[in-house]
Amino acid sequence: MNYWLMKTEPQTFSITDLEHSENQTSHWEGVRNYQARNFMRDEMKKGDTVLIYHSSCKSIGVSGIAQITNESYPDHTALDPQSPYFDSKSTKEEPRWFMVDLQWRKTLSRTITLKEMKDYKELENMVLFKRKRLSIIPITELEYDFILTLE
DNA sequence: GCCAACGTTGGC
DNA sequence: GCCAACGTTGGC
């Protein structure tokens, strides 16, 4: 069982939106970065645990927990010319982009902020700090457990 | 809104 | 295959 951190802009899709989705479950559309795609396509497994991270917003940081309920399948929004995630180079026969399904587990009582996470030695090796533009980030069980103790 | 970091594109 | 130009991410 693996642990992940997935970034989202809450004005687009927040942990609260996931909580209020049908069956508290949603697909995770719009990943358009190859390394993030590879994590999703090749390594995310059903049952993996995900920290939901809010970016580009007032309160930046970890805001909730979710779980992978469906492993990767083609991201249909890449084929939709009306979608902001449309990619003319992706086809039904050879999909370029993938998504997974996530189910809500918990909305944290407060956001564990990026700022405070940077203060802890226990988290100093987080990929989150090293790969600033990666939207899907593997984390260790120790990092996961430690972050949740901060709530 | 600014801008640094950095991933992607495309000419050569 | 290199690398300059360009576009996007995301913290501040």
Side-chain angles (χ1 to χ4, degrees):
Chain A
M1 152 116 145
N2 294 312
Y3 294 87
W4 305 94
L5 179 150
M6 293 170 86
K7 295 181 186 173
T8 180
E9 297 188 12
Q11 61 214 49
T12 304
F13 191 80
S14 71
I15 185 69
T16 307
D17 294 326
L18 181 61
E19 182 175 1
H20 295 146
S21 297
E22 191 178 350
N23 298 323
Q24 298 187 316
T25 300
S26 176
H27 56 260
W28 197 264
E29 67 189 38
V31 171
R32 295 293 180 270
N33 166 284
Y34 288 104
Q35 192 171 2
R37 177 203 67 182
N38 293 347
F39 280 139
M40 215 164 45
R41 187 187 59 186
D42 306 335
E43 297 188 40
M44 277 191 173
K45 299 298 174 199
K46 189 172 176 177
D48 283 1
T49 301
V50 177
L51 293 178
I52 302 298
Y53 176 97
H54 287 170
S55 67
S56 297
C57 59
K58 200 155 190 182
S59 186
I60 296 164
V62 173
S63 56
I65 307 171
Q67 194 162 34
I68 305 291
T69 53
N70 258 315
E71 294 177 18
S72 70
Y73 56 98
D75 182 341
H76 57 81
T77 64
L79 304 176
D80 176 6
Q82 302 306 314
S83 168
Y85 305 122
F86 177 66
D87 179 359
S88 60
K89 299 194 195 90
S90 191
T91 64
K92 197 166 186 204
E93 292 69 32
E94 285 191 63
R96 172 176 297 209
W97 304 112
F98 290 79
M99 54 191 185
V100 295
D101 290 346
L102 292 185
Q103 186 167 44
W104 177 87
R105 282 289 174 270
K106 185 180 182 187
T107 299
L108 300 188
S109 57
R110 69 180 191 91
T111 298
I112 312 302
T113 65
L114 172 65
K115 188 169 186 299
E116 68 185 294
M117 288 195 287
K118 283 178 175 168
D119 287 338
Y120 292 99
K121 203 169 190 314
E122 290 88 340
L123 301 178
E124 67 185 0
N125 292 320
M126 278 191 84
V127 178
L128 178 66
F129 307 143
K130 293 179 181 153
R131 301 292 315 281
K132 299 178 201 299
R133 300 188 42 187
L134 190 56
S135 61
I136 296 182
I137 288 183
I139 58 178
T140 67
E141 187 174 2
L142 284 174
E143 288 165 347
Y144 175 83
D145 289 341
F146 184 80
I147 288 168
L148 291 184
T149 66
L150 300 175
E151 181 184 3

